[in-house]
């Protein structure tokens, strides 16, 4: 699971980063709203921790712009502001939860788990063109025909489809696969893309997985 922290207090960022990485979350961070908005727009995160009082662009505006761009990543706002009015404003502009500072790390972890469970429970199938993944049964079909995938192949394909039409770099895909037994293979992303293509593209006229030279890979129905 990948989390973006947008917070200008370096001590808080370091504290959160250390604690969340110990819980096996992958962390990116930014100390201002403009950079945080950019990171959230060009990368895919499972959750965003967003401070309100930020330089360059405040957290309310960051959240507004994310929702206006149809980026529906769960947002938990972290702020020293704890009035009812601020809570309502944060929730009204699209935040999923609101936690005033100071907060206990264990409570934050619990709130993160709630948001991630809610996010995972909203979708049980993924589709692109005639390819369909059942996220509960962990099965794949194309044109109604069963496709046998390993757990890692399924995870990579799921990630591609959830980010369909978006170019994903080898670095991003590699970080997603970095817990694999074959992690010592330098071109692990290319190996798994090759395996997926053989299974979901090669037998069919319409190819879904595209190589974007110099940038990475994407899946689309064009």
């Amino acid at each position: 699971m990948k989390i973006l922290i947008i917070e200008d207090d370096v001590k808080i960022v370091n504290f959160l980063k250390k604690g969340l990485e110990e819980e096996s979350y992958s962390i990116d961070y930014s100390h201002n709203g403009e950079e945080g908005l950019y990171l959230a727009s060009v990368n895919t995160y499972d959750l965003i921790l967003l401070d309100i009082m930020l330089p360059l662009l405040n957290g309310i505006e960051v959240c507004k712009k994310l929702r206006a761009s149809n980026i529906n990543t769960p947002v938990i706002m972290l702020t020293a502001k704890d009035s009812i009015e601020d809570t309502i404003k944060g929730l009204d502009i699209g935040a999923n939860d609101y936690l005033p500072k100071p907060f206990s790390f264990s409570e934050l972890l619990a709130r993160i788990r709630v948001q991630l469970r809610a996010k995972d429970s909203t979708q049980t199938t993924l589709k692109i063109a005639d390819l369909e993944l059942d996220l509960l049964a962990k099965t794949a079909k194309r044109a109604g025909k069963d496709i046998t995938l390993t757990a890692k192949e399924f995870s990579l394909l799921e990630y591609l489809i959830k980010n369909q039409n978006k170019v994903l770099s080898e670095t991003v895909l590699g970080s997603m696969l970095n817990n694999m037994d074959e992690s010592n293979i330098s071109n692990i992303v290319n190996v798994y893309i090759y395996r997926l293509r053989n299974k979901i593209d090669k037998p069919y006229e319409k190819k879904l997985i595209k190589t974007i030279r110099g940038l990475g890979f994407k899946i689309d129905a064009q």
Side-chain angles (χ1 to χ4, degrees), residues 4 10 53 57 66 97-99 103 113 116 128 136 138 141 143 145 150-151 164 177 181 184 188 193 201 214:
L4 173 63
V10 176
M53 301 300 290
L57 192 67
L66 289 175
D97 200 357
Y98 189 101
L99 192 59
F103 53 84
R113 289 193 294 269
L116 294 179
I128 181 169
L136 297 180
K138 300 295 183 184
K141 290 184 177 183
K145 296 180 180 179
T150 67
Q164 59 186 276
L177 296 168
D181 293 338
N184 61 322
I188 192 64
I193 291 292
D201 271 348

Side-chain angles (χ1 to χ4, degrees), residues 117-183:
R117 282 198 300 270
K119 177 173 177 281
D120 288 343
S121 66
T122 58
Q123 201 169 27
T124 60
T125 61
L126 296 174
K127 288 192 69 176
I128 181 169
D130 55 353
L131 175 65
E132 183 173 339
L133 295 190
D134 185 322
L135 302 182
L136 297 180
K138 300 295 183 184
T139 57
K141 290 184 177 183
R142 183 160 188 192
K145 296 180 180 179
D146 291 333
I147 299 172
T148 302
L149 299 174
T150 67
K152 295 299 180 182
E153 290 166 353
F154 188 94
S155 294
L156 179 57
L157 185 56
E158 176 185 346
Y159 190 75
L160 286 167
I161 297 177
K162 282 183 175 178
N163 294 280
Q164 59 186 276
N165 304 313
K166 182 183 292 187
V167 179
L168 301 171
S169 69
E170 287 190 27
T171 301
V172 169
L173 295 176
S175 68
M176 189 224 126
L177 296 168
N178 66 2
N179 63 340
M180 303 172 64
D181 293 338
E182 305 101 320
S183 59

